[in-house]
């Protein structure tokens, strides 16, 4: 059981380049989300999804797109990278179920540098 | 979502209990208290959560005051590997599942 897998672990982009950060989970979780964490700061929510075909914006969505075509995958796209998007990106998933087992599981992060 | 207040940093001697406080005076009746920790730059790790009763698992204990306006996470025998940033989060157990992370408490376990 791999949990939440993020790829790549490290990436350097030039300003204006585009790329997709991948996130996959094998726990059949309905809910998936993307956060960014800047140095010395807490995590901030970028986008989230409560199921395939459903996405919504979080606190800091500008400059990022997401889609959810399957339950397992939730990619994050940077359309035109900017230095302000230099950060560590975390993907998380959790169950929406009516029980109490709704803790979020996080991936190990993607460290992105935009130069 | 209710906001939380945590001390920015704490120290604890190895082998002693670490007691991490959290204030959440505006918590609503349907909001749970969650604790996560982040070791170095890894992804946050779930520790424990509760509504109003005290909870205990293999990692920690969670003590919630009767008025639910504050809570304490207890690591009974802290080790060097418990050095991390600890986040206290309150949120409802419902559709959406968003977590709002504050700056947390940086716990340093000292040898």
């Amino acid at each position: 059981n791999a949990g939440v897998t993020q790829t790549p672990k490290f990436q350097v982009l030039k300003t204006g380049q585009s790329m997709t950060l991948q996130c996959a989970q094998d726990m059949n979780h309905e809910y998936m989300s993307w956060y960014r964490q800047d140095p010395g700061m807490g995590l901030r929510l970028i986008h989230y999804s409560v199921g395939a075909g459903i996405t919504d914006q979080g606190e800091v969505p500008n400059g990022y797109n997401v889609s959810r075509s399957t339950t397992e995958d939730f990619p994050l796209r940077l359309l035109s990278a900017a230095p302000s998007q230099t950060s560590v990106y975390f993907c998380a998933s959790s169950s929406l179920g009516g029980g109490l087992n709704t803790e979020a599981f996080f991936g190990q992060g993607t460290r992105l540098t935009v130069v | 979502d209710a906001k939380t207040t945590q001390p920015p940093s704490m120290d604890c001697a190895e082998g002693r209990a670490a007691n991490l406080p959290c204030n959440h005076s505006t918590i609503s009746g349907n909001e749970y208290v969650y604790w996560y920790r982040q070791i170095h730059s890894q992804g946050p790790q779930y520790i424990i959560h509760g509504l109003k009763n005290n909870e205990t698992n293999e990692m920690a204990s969670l003590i919630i005051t009767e008025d639910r306006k504050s809570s304490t996470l207890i690591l009974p025998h802290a080790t060097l590997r418990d050095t991390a940033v600890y986040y206290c989060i309150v949120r409802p157990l419902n559709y959406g599942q968003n977590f709002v992370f504050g700056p947390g408490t940086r716990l340093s376990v000292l040898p």
Side-chain angles (χ1 to χ4, degrees), chain A residues 31 35 37 41-43 45 48 50 54 88 90 94-96 98-100 102-104 106-108 111, chain B residues 32 34 36 38 41-46 49 87 91 93-103 106:
Chain A
Y31 179 81
Y35 293 83
Q37 185 173 34
M41 307 284 288
L43 281 72
L45 183 66
Y48 65 97
V50 297
I54 306 169
V88 181
F90 291 102
S94 66
S95 170
L96 285 177
L100 295 182
T102 54
E103 64 266 29
F106 286 80
Q108 289 305 299
R111 285 151 183 77
Chain B
Y32 284 69
Y34 283 76
Y36 282 77
Q38 189 173 23
S41 298
Q42 298 176 18
Q45 176 191 24
Y46 166 80
H49 73 284
Y87 299 100
R91 69 169 180 80
L93 188 73
N94 67 0
Y95 195 79
Q97 304 283 302
N98 292 333
F99 288 87
V100 178
F101 285 82
R106 181 172 297 277

Side-chain angles (χ1 to χ4, degrees), chain A residues 28-70:
Chain A
N28 202 31
H29 285 163
E30 302 94 332
Y31 179 81
M32 297 185 73
S33 57
W34 277 101
Y35 293 83
R36 62 176 286 174
Q37 185 173 34
D38 299 327
M41 307 284 288
L43 281 72
R44 292 185 293 170
L45 183 66
I46 304 172
H47 285 285
Y48 65 97
S49 167
V50 297
I54 306 169
T55 64
D56 207 345
Q57 297 180 349
E59 179 187 357
V60 288
N62 292 341
Y64 308 95
N65 278 358
V66 292
S67 60
R68 185 91 178 273
S69 57
T70 67

Side-chain angles (χ1 to χ4, degrees), chain B residues 21-37:
Chain B
C22 179
N23 286 323
H24 31 80
S25 59
T26 60
I27 191 170
S28 300
N30 67 337
E31 288 182 317
Y32 284 69
V33 180
Y34 283 76
W35 283 84
Y36 282 77
R37 73 180 182 183

Side-chain angles (χ1 to χ4, degrees), chain A residues 98-102, chain B residues 2 22 24 26-35 46 48-56 61-72 88-94:
Chain A
L100 295 182
N101 296 324
T102 54
Chain B
C22 179
H24 31 80
T26 60
I27 191 170
S28 300
N30 67 337
E31 288 182 317
Y32 284 69
V33 180
Y34 283 76
W35 283 84
Y46 166 80
I48 198 168
H49 73 284
L51 181 62
K52 54 183 178 182
N53 298 320
N54 297 339
E55 302 287 345
T56 295
S61 294
L62 174 60
I63 309 298
I64 302 174
T65 58
E66 191 170 345
D67 63 8
R68 303 211 320 125
K69 293 184 177 181
S70 66
S71 61
T72 301
C88 170
I89 301 164
V90 295
R91 69 169 180 80
L93 188 73
N94 67 0

